[in-house]
Amino acid sequence: MKILQLHSNFIEYRPIEKEIPSAEETEGRSYRLEDLIVLFTCVEKGDNIEVARRAIEEVKGFLENIKVNRILIYPYAHLSSNLAPPSEALRILEEMRVYASSLGIEAYRAPFGWCKEFSISVKGHPLAEQFKSISPGERAEGGEVVSKALEAEEKIVSHWFIIKPDGSMIPVDEFDFSGHENLKKFAAYEISKVRAVQQTPPHVTLMRRLELADYEDASDPGNFRWYPKGNLIKSLIEEFVTEKVTAYGALKVETPIMYDIKHPALANYLHRFPARQYIVKSEDKELFLRFSACFGQFLMLSDAQISYRHLPLKIYELTHYSFRREKSGELAGLRRLRAFTMPDCHALCADMEQAKEEAIKRFKLSMETLEGIGLTRDDYELAIRFTKDFYEENKDFIVSLVKIFGKPALAEMWDERFFYFVLKWEFNFVDNLDKASALSTDQIDIENAERYGITYVDEKGEKKYPLILHCSPSGAIERDIYALLEKAYRIQKMGGTPMLPIWLSPTQVRVIPVSENFNREAEKIAEELIRRNIRADWDDRPLTMQKKIREAEMEWIPFIVVVGQEEISTGKLAVRDRRIRREQRIRRMSLEELVNEIKKETEGKPFKPLTLPIALSKRPRFYG
RNA sequence: GCCCCGGUGGCUUAGCGGUUAGAGCAGCGGCCUUGUAAGCCGCGGGUCGCGGGUUCGAAUCCCGCCCGGGGCUCCA
């Protein structure tokens, strides 16, 4: 159906003569209507009642906007070369009028099948003239790749339980959540999907104030800019996760970020994955930007020679970036982005026994990863999702995950399998707005080896399809930072001092001279700390010491060293330790003791220098 | 994507039909120079998100778009 929609001061029309034998009967007089929307409407082959109604619903929205409630449906064949038969067209036009009337719109229809003369006066505002095209069964426009999984998921029947570490499985509504408030929030979020908070997420304010990251208007929503401090934190976490995963034995690789949308193995997978893609056009090809490392790794593995002796075979990539063109309303600060950095580790396993064994290793790896980043077991909740069949055959395995986790977990059981996996678990963080987001996750995939032609040769020399585990031990790096910031905010709200883990603090030690006379000493101390691989800087700006301390505190710097005559004479530094409560916050210690304490605190974590000048007067402000 | 809310110097904001749009912070210039969360004075800086409309007159009212937030929905 095509509609030319005109916001008119008036229209006058007069039927002259019948164009077709089936024309409606009508008086030959002139008709005039004022202050209305005229809909020159063309019914096309295949249009149905649903199209008629949808057209009216769209028009109704417009009527409400411009505060008009009168329409004229004017049959107008010239808008299409694919006309519906006249009888059908008449039926649909009449349906439009009746439906409009039922919605309280004052609706008229010009007679069908006549040659008419008309005069019209169209208003001059920008919205006055519009063209609409409505086709039957139309869902998304623009020939976009819409996931079948998205549609399938709407039909999924889920059963919700809480599994306790002792193995008992209790329907969610019978579980006593006392002592498990966070799990209660998480379960409520997952099941009822109801939340009623309306405010900027705390981490968004913090990521800007701390000059970590910000929105970039010139890009697509959900694509962020990262300032030096944010980039440092992000790359430290990336390196930490990479070290963990490679220590676990994964082979680190790199694969392209875009793929041909028409590639046979990929086209199918696209439909099985519930996400929308960015499309890049290149000459006559269309490519989609990856939303995970799956394709690249699967294509690589399908070309590899793999023996049962190599299994379980682990392969890893840190996707910088993965892209998911989430609907604009779903984006939220660092919690939900369109471009994000995600570690993705696949494991090929010979059979379900090996897969379960490997899954347990990865489960532990994920806990160690999150806890290394700076979250504790209290900060995240476990969800396990599986099919009914899988549960019945692998109950012990599911319970063993909960046992390792050590807290009750939310379980979702599906009657049927809609996805490529039979089991999936995630660690979820619940934020200050009671929203839950997945961090670590792993899946047992029973479908993609075959789809991608990934095989291994077993003991008998036969080709077999392995099972594939898909794990992100930390989840998106941006989301880890979101969790750390939300956690810090929560601590502050409860009267504590917010801070980042010391290994992630952009400045670990700030040196402040009591006056300009001690600038030289302050600089020397900062330089010495830097020489010892500690991120130190010094405040050389012409401000009062009090103000410098205040600013250092607002930057969440873990250690502030004030240098004056006393320190020079005694050789002991006055160290303001952020981890300690107000009263005893200042500790006397030597530089050596300070260095050792930081080294001990950050042991086993990667180190990178901060790429900002050591002297604060040389630093630009990126925000505020 | 749909619905609701918002966008005023770099940041936080006042003004919400009627003078040259006002402030704090930051920046710049100067003064001050020893002890743990804001020292003092001065100066510069604004197509009031963008486009259109209404009006004698628009930051202010209307429409569209962009960006952000929230909700629906969805996910790492």
Side-chain angles (χ1 to χ4, degrees), chain A residues 230-397:
Chain A
N231 173 262
L232 171 79
I233 293 173
K234 189 161 169 279
S235 54
L236 281 168
I237 298 176
E238 287 166 13
E239 186 160 329
F240 173 68
V241 175
T242 298
E243 282 174 8
K244 294 294 287 183
V245 180
T246 48
Y248 149 72
L251 319 181
K252 186 166 181 281
V253 299
E254 190 171 323
T255 62
I257 67 164
M258 59 180 84
Y259 296 89
D260 189 339
I261 202 159
K262 295 220 174 77
H263 188 286
L266 305 182
N268 256 329
Y269 189 51
L270 277 179
H271 287 299
R272 293 292 271 159
F273 201 92
R276 294 176 176 211
Q277 280 73 49
Y278 276 114
I279 303 291
V280 175
K281 289 200 168 71
S282 170
E283 302 201 344
D284 52 349
K285 250 189 204 173
E286 278 194 319
L287 305 141
F288 67 92
L289 299 184
R290 67 174 174 199
F291 44 84
S292 71
C294 296
F295 323 98
Q297 294 188 5
F298 291 173
L299 293 167
M300 188 183 279
L301 290 168
S302 71
D303 288 337
Q305 297 289 310
I306 303 167
S307 148
Y308 72 96
R309 297 177 205 277
H310 305 145
L311 303 185
L313 175 62
K314 290 97 71 175
I315 184 166
Y316 166 75
E317 179 169 6
L318 182 74
T319 68
H320 209 307
Y321 292 101
S322 285
F323 297 91
R324 296 186 191 175
R325 231 201 63 225
E326 309 291 6
K327 291 179 272 177
S328 55
E330 293 166 0
L331 301 169
L334 292 174
R335 187 169 81 93
R336 194 82 185 275
L337 298 163
R338 280 184 175 174
F340 54 97
T341 309
M342 197 171 61
D344 203 352
C345 178
H346 294 93
L348 303 189
C349 298
D351 50 37
M352 191 54 83
E353 276 318 300
Q354 193 176 60
K356 289 191 285 187
E357 199 178 304
E358 200 57 25
I360 287 186
K361 283 189 196 157
R362 295 150 72 91
F363 188 82
K364 291 177 180 163
L365 172 72
S366 298
M367 290 201 299
E368 286 167 21
T369 303
L370 288 190
E371 290 171 20
I373 287 170
L375 299 173
T376 63
R377 199 71 53 90
D378 297 332
D379 294 324
Y380 58 93
E381 300 298 335
L382 171 62
I384 310 182
R385 304 162 203 267
F386 39 80
T387 59
K388 200 166 183 213
D389 292 348
F390 184 85
Y391 172 74
E392 272 154 19
E393 286 160 37
N394 302 284
K395 194 175 168 208
D396 290 350
F397 165 69

Side-chain angles (χ1 to χ4, degrees), chain A residues 473-506:
Chain A
S474 63
I477 306 295
E478 292 83 354
R479 195 173 269 187
D480 294 326
I481 297 174
Y482 141 84
L484 288 175
L485 292 176
E486 288 284 336
K487 178 181 172 161
Y489 179 84
R490 177 181 304 159
I491 287 170
Q492 182 171 36
K493 216 172 51 178
M494 296 186 320
T497 310
M499 65 187 293
L500 292 169
I502 292 172
W503 73 281
L504 290 174
S505 295

Side-chain angles (χ1 to χ4, degrees), chain A residues 515-555:
Chain A
S515 77
E516 282 173 24
N517 298 331
F518 297 92
N519 277 2
R520 188 74 207 100
E521 282 71 19
E523 185 177 19
K524 268 163 62 185
I525 292 169
E527 280 169 351
E528 174 61 15
L529 288 165
I530 287 168
R531 212 180 53 77
R532 306 287 297 271
N533 271 353
I534 284 169
R535 284 186 298 270
D537 50 31
W538 74 288
D539 197 337
D540 61 329
R541 297 172 302 170
L543 301 171
T544 59
M545 180 203 61
Q546 285 85 344
K547 178 135 187 183
K548 291 177 184 180
I549 289 166
R550 175 180 150 86
E551 292 198 5
E553 293 283 9
M554 295 202 306
E555 273 186 61

Side-chain angles (χ1 to χ4, degrees), chain A residues 214-225:
Chain A
D214 210 337
Y215 302 107
E216 176 51 72
D217 290 1
S219 183
D220 198 42
N223 287 256
F224 274 43
R225 59 161 70 144

Side-chain angles (χ1 to χ4, degrees), chain A residues 421-440:
Chain A
F421 50 82
V422 289
L423 174 133
K424 174 191 183 187
W425 63 257
E426 317 119 38
F427 290 138
N428 289 271
F429 179 82
V430 180
D431 69 18
N432 293 286
L433 272 34
D434 289 349
K435 293 178 186 258
S437 334
L439 298 171
S440 322

